[in-house]
Amino acid sequence: MRPVSWQKSSFSSEGSACLELAFAPPGDTLLLRESDEPGTVLRTNPARLRALLGLVRQDNPH
């Protein structure tokens, strides 16, 4: 298995508690993890993440 390249937002500080994102084969899989708990990884896809972010934005439009 090829190692994934984790990325975090440029808005994140240098400390822990950052959400990190990685792409995994076959290319439509997204991996999410909390930087201070890297062993726990959530798998999703772009459509589901987009839907989640849309719901979050509805509750907090700022």
Side-chain angles (χ1 to χ4, degrees):
M1 182 177 199
R2 181 177 68 132
V4 296
S5 177
W6 291 98
Q7 301 173 4
K8 66 179 180 175
S9 170
S10 59
F11 293 103
S12 296
S13 66
E14 291 301 316
S16 61
C18 299
L19 182 65
E20 297 177 326
L21 173 77
F23 291 97
D28 63 342
T29 300
L30 296 174
L31 305 175
L32 302 167
R33 72 179 184 184
E34 182 71 32
S35 60
D36 60 349
E37 288 289 334
T40 302
V41 177
L42 301 175
R43 295 174 97 65
T44 190
N45 63 45
R48 288 182 175 177
L49 182 57
R50 206 171 14 259
L52 174 64
L53 294 175
L55 290 172
V56 169
R57 287 182 185 125
Q58 285 179 353
D59 284 346
N60 187 8
H62 299 293

